[in-house]
Amino acid sequence: MDPPIDAPAGSSTARGPADRPRPGPHDRARCFGALVGAGFRRWATYRQAALAGLFTNTVFGVMIYSLMLAVAADGRRPGGYEAAQLATYVWVGQGIMSVVHVWNWNELADRIRSGDVTADLLRPIDPFEAFLAADLGRALYSVLARMLVPVLVGALVFSMYLPQRPHTWPLFALSLALGTVISFTLRYLVNLGSFWLLDVRGLNAVWVLAASVFAGTFFPLRFLPEWAQVLLWFGTPFPGLYQIPLDVLVERADPALQWGSVALQLAWVAVLIPLARRVQRAATHRLVIQGG
């Protein structure tokens, strides 16, 4: 491909999404599934890290639940939660924290800085889809390796709330999957900032702080004033990462609000994925690789 008129001599541009060969739906599905499996196998190799994470989640679970139990003493229901619901919120929350992954993720940013992203842009599958598939594989592994043990520890030591409505279990699984997709898309948008900033450590710091505070990982957002809850629920996607899946599981609200919360997550997915694709197109259309 000829370089653009304004590109330096001896340079070339990476091909954009329109230049890639387009596989059929069946091939794309097979490729996506293979990448999910590859992401699972990749993270399954870090066994010592998983064990260390389990220990950390368990210790923090005891500490956080002890604080929650003090708040709920004398029959009080802070945020509308009973003590058993708070136990489920804390212990399942410690498990899904690694599933949703509200921490730093720099893989795409590193590939942008090194120039390796050009190889991703030349592949038949879109980089967003490829990284999403790998992240879903990571999340699936985290369910097995990082989520089940804290939940079992909490169930053995404390009285936890078990859902009473049959639809809650599949709805929680759907909500957790949507929360993972929302988290990945936000992390992907942060990494896309490397096309303009090169160093996204500042954006990553903002992301981790916002996701930790506004998603309900430090404390349930139901503890906040009602106006703040409304602002966070409808003005930001962060409650969909953590608060909504846990509220669905502990049946904090009636069934209509359970379904409505998951519908809100779907709405954010419908907004964020096209946004990520649009930002990616804007970045790759101006990408120039020196010496290519």
Side-chain angles (χ1 to χ4, degrees), residues 91-103:
W91 286 103
V92 177
Q94 287 298 305
I96 72 171
M97 193 178 297
S98 58
V99 177
V100 175
H101 196 82
V102 295
W103 304 301

Side-chain angles (χ1 to χ4, degrees), residues 174-197:
L174 173 60
S175 181
L176 182 57
L178 291 173
T180 303
V181 173
I182 293 172
S183 172
F184 168 78
T185 308
L186 291 171
R187 285 182 275 123
Y188 195 85
L189 282 166
V190 169
N191 276 243
L192 286 175
S194 277
F195 279 109
W196 291 273
L197 302 177

Side-chain angles (χ1 to χ4, degrees), residues 39 44 58 68 91 93 104 139 143 148-149 169 183 219 252 268 278:
T58 302
M68 295 291 183
W91 286 103
N104 283 343
V143 169
L148 295 182
V149 172
W169 293 107
S183 172
F219 56 86
R252 166 61 178 72
W268 278 113
R278 185 170 182 176

Side-chain angles (χ1 to χ4, degrees), residues 167-182 240 244-245 248 258-259 262-263 265-266 269:
H167 70 267
T168 294
W169 293 107
L171 193 62
F172 168 69
L174 173 60
S175 181
L176 182 57
L178 291 173
T180 303
V181 173
I182 293 172
I244 289 178
V248 167
Q258 274 185 311
W259 287 98
V262 176
Q265 287 179 293
L266 281 169
V269 168

Side-chain angles (χ1 to χ4, degrees), residues 10-87:
S11 65
S12 63
T13 54
R15 292 194 298 173
D19 301 306
R20 287 195 303 269
R22 296 183 178 274
H26 179 68
D27 292 331
R28 289 180 64 184
R30 289 181 57 191
C31 183
F32 192 88
L35 290 172
V36 171
F40 182 96
R41 291 190 298 272
R42 173 188 176 186
W43 285 90
T45 60
Y46 301 108
R47 298 183 181 89
Q48 292 181 339
L51 290 174
L54 285 174
F55 176 77
T56 302
N57 289 139
T58 302
V59 171
F60 272 92
V62 173
M63 294 171 57
I64 295 173
Y65 181 63
S66 298
L67 293 173
M68 295 291 183
L69 197 60
V71 174
D74 301 325
R76 288 175 293 184
R77 298 185 59 190
Y81 298 99
E82 298 177 354
Q85 289 176 313
L86 285 174

